[in-house]
Amino acid sequence: MAQWTSAMGAAQLARLLNSQQDRPAGPGTRRPPAYRALADGIRLLVLEGRVPVAARLPAERELALALSVSRTTVAAAYEALRAEGFLESRRGAGSWTAVPAGNPLPARGLEPLPPEALGSVIDLGCAALPAPEPWLTRAVHGALEELPPYAHTHGDYPAGLPALRAMIAERYTLRGIPTMPEQIMVTTGAMGAIDAICHLFAGRGERVAVESPSYANILQLMREAGARLVPVAMAEGLTGWDMDRWRQVLRDAAPRLAYVVADFHNPTGALADDDQRRQLVDAARSAGTVLVADETMTELWLDDDVEMPRPVCGFDPAGSTVVTVGSASKAFWAGMRIGWVRAAPDVIRSLVSARAYADLGTPVLEQLAVNWLFSTGGWEQAVDIRRGQARENRDALVAAVRRELPGWEFEVPRGGLTLWVRTGGLSGSRLAEMGERVGVRVPSGPRFGVDGAFEGYVRLPFTVGGAVAEEAAARLAAAARLVENGVGGGGSESPRTFVA
């Protein structure tokens, strides 16, 4: 019986491997043999989760043809991987990926580190900040006071608590987008919202247009739902979308869904302007594409002179083309798993009906806590604290990276939680691997792309500041030196202990 559970085609694996570009070797630097470089490339793909564990690899001859190398090179690479525990083989069944005994399975997304690891590893993998106290505690106390009447019910509210739906609708109305409670469904975070939307609109095999780069966890959610992702490159710098490319993709590919982050885009920090939003809504309507607008970063402007454009749904107030997703996770706290969907009433009814076969509803206590924040003015004060934290962290991280890694390039976003950094020609995948060795966890650029794009980038969130930001940049510089010196494929460097 075969031990593999999925298969990786030769052409697909070749694209992923060819995306791994390192800085050209300097004088006196020895490049590894071709088989070793191939083995290291496959190992990195497995460690990052871009090639799943238990994925059947192409036959030696097929991969050799796809990579334009000798079959001997591929055979030697496979043998090296078998010796290191990253490949298993059986006659008649082929070879499939594995991880050595004792190694953790690679993360497919950007899961936070367990709390016990935070004393020795600086976590730049998760773009989330600690709760803005005292508002979390006050919101929970307020929720407990409101809980008794709900405790006498069954507790299942598939559309969300009526009070919270009405409050969210009122907040959209105050933003200039008239909204009824019937246009709102409360979800378990933004991920729960987008998962429900994908299941409703985009069945397995359907095309979904996505920004390139885009939020890694959403890309993985869509892949696992069976979507065929169609990447659309962002405009240069932090200027939002390239509308010529978007119009072409919507016209030629006719995707069922399109997913965008118009407000302080994750990972680039770009802010789409009013004209881009209007044009994209018009193009989506003409193509029959449902446009999913993710607003999780919309309240996180960090500079006082930022003028926020009109919401994307403002150009489709009835919600026939635009489905809007919001969340408390980024603006307030990731542990508050409350999200919402704004759409046409018939779309909301369909989403609510489907919850009977999914999660039934969102926890009542957390909904009451968010409703308390909205109704008392606590939300605005908590978000103001969040903006101050993110602004200070951004400025500290920018200064530290410029000092420690002057060859790295980036534009400073005016909002959001992430810095998108070009790494001076170094492989983002190898930087991520070396970062683990020296005590800093950073996601590589390809996690945010389709089929290996953005190998020369990493994403740095504004989650640390002060001395921790300086130490994080110093560890990244140490990781960069290891990559430049060709370190890889085993061994380790002990991290300096730093208690955040």
Side-chain angles (χ1 to χ4, degrees):
M1 180 179 175
Q3 299 298 308
W4 50 273
T5 56
S6 62
M8 176 69 61
Q12 182 182 9
L13 182 56
R15 284 197 303 273
L16 292 172
L17 288 165
N18 287 333
S19 73
Q20 296 176 333
Q21 299 295 325
D22 282 336
R23 178 179 291 174
T29 302
R30 294 177 57 188
R31 284 199 174 277
Y35 86 89
R36 184 67 260 174
L38 175 56
D40 285 348
I42 294 174
R43 177 177 51 80
L44 274 175
L45 292 173
V46 173
L47 288 173
E48 284 213 318
R50 289 192 285 142
V51 171
V53 174
R56 186 179 186 274
L57 295 187
E60 295 169 0
R61 187 185 302 277
E62 293 174 359
L63 186 57
L65 287 172
L67 292 172
S68 299
V69 299
S70 72
R71 184 177 176 181
T72 302
T73 296
V74 177
Y78 279 13
E79 182 58 37
L81 290 168
R82 276 189 288 269
E84 295 162 4
F86 285 95
L87 198 68
E88 296 180 7
S89 304
R90 179 178 297 171
R91 185 177 298 277
S95 299
W96 56 92
T97 56
V99 292
N103 280 36
L105 289 174
R108 300 298 298 276
L110 303 176
E111 296 84 357
L113 279 175
E116 61 269 17
L118 294 178
S120 59
V121 178
I122 299 174
D123 186 8
L124 297 181
C126 186
L129 288 162
E133 289 287 27
W135 292 105
L136 173 62
T137 299
R138 291 178 181 176
V140 172
H141 287 164
L144 288 171
E145 292 178 0
E146 299 292 331
L147 183 61
Y150 296 94
H152 294 293
T153 73
H154 50 62
D156 287 336
Y157 295 86
L161 295 184
L164 181 55
R165 295 176 73 196
M167 182 61 67
I168 294 170
E170 181 182 343
R171 291 174 67 83
Y172 277 105
T173 299
L174 291 173
R175 293 170 67 189
I177 320 298
T179 303
M180 303 178 295
E182 292 80 8
Q183 290 179 263
I184 302 295
M185 180 177 82
V186 181
T187 63
T188 308
M191 292 290 289
I194 294 170
D195 182 58
I197 293 165
C198 286
H199 279 88
L200 178 63
F201 287 107
R204 186 166 293 275
E206 292 276 7
R207 294 185 180 93
V208 178
V210 295
E211 296 151 327
S212 184
S214 187
Y215 179 37
N217 285 339
I218 294 297
L219 294 181
Q220 190 59 37
L221 181 155
M222 291 177 174
R223 289 188 190 101
E224 294 185 356
R228 297 165 61 188
L229 300 182
V230 182
V232 186
M234 297 290 289
E236 290 296 319
L238 300 179
T239 55
W241 302 317
D242 184 326
M243 285 311 306
D244 289 338
R245 288 173 173 165
W246 268 106
R247 278 189 291 269
Q248 180 180 356
V249 166
L250 293 176
R251 181 182 64 246
D252 296 347
R256 186 70 183 93
L257 279 181
Y259 169 76
V260 296
V261 184
D263 303 317
F264 310 118
H265 173 259
N266 186 354
T268 68
L271 179 65
D273 62 30
D274 278 321
D275 189 51
Q276 290 171 336
R277 296 169 191 235
R278 180 184 297 105
Q279 290 187 54
L280 185 57
V281 172
D282 289 345
R285 184 181 294 114
S286 297
T289 298
V290 176
L291 183 63
V292 181
D294 186 336
E295 288 192 335
T296 55
M297 297 284 191
T298 194
E299 296 190 64
L300 290 178
W301 64 85
L302 304 183
D303 297 329
D304 293 336
D305 59 346
V306 173
E307 294 186 12
M308 290 301 296
R310 194 176 184 191
V312 176
C313 62
F315 301 98
D316 178 51
S320 58
T321 296
V322 177
V323 175
T324 302
V325 171
S327 173
S329 295
K330 299 298 185 183
F332 187 76
W333 185 46
M336 189 72 76
R337 304 304 305 159
I338 298 295
W340 53 86
V341 178
R342 181 199 182 275
D346 62 318
V347 172
I348 295 298
R349 285 193 294 270
S350 297
L351 289 169
V352 171
S353 177
R355 289 192 93 167
Y357 312 102
D359 62 359
L360 292 177
T362 303
V364 169
L365 188 63
E366 283 85 342
Q367 291 187 72
L368 289 171
V370 171
N371 191 59
W372 183 92
L373 288 165
F374 284 158
S375 61
T376 62
W379 177 268
E380 285 71 24
Q381 295 183 63
V383 172
D384 191 56
I385 292 172
R386 170 67 74 240
R387 291 193 197 105
Q389 291 173 324
R391 184 186 306 114
E392 291 179 6
N393 289 354
R394 178 195 63 180
D395 295 345
L397 187 63
V398 164
V401 172
R402 282 176 171 165
R403 180 176 61 253
E404 296 286 346
L405 294 150
W408 288 18
E409 303 172 34
F410 53 85
E411 291 188 53
V412 181
R414 307 191 68 193
L417 290 173
T418 58
L419 195 66
W420 185 238
V421 182
R422 190 192 300 268
T423 57
L426 296 181
S427 160
S429 298
R430 297 182 190 279
L431 280 166
E433 183 190 24
M434 293 303 107
E436 295 279 357
R437 299 186 181 193
V438 299
V440 60
R441 185 171 181 258
V442 59
S444 67
R447 288 183 177 271
F448 303 88
V450 177
D451 279 345
F454 307 110
E455 185 60 57
Y457 290 81
V458 293
R459 189 195 74 169
L460 305 180
F462 315 144
T463 52
V464 296
V468 186
E470 294 176 4
E471 178 68 11
R475 294 186 187 187
L476 282 172
R481 288 191 294 272
L482 291 176
V483 175
E484 288 174 326
N485 293 332
V487 176
S492 64
E493 180 172 315
S494 298
R496 289 172 285 172
T497 299
F498 189 89
V499 180

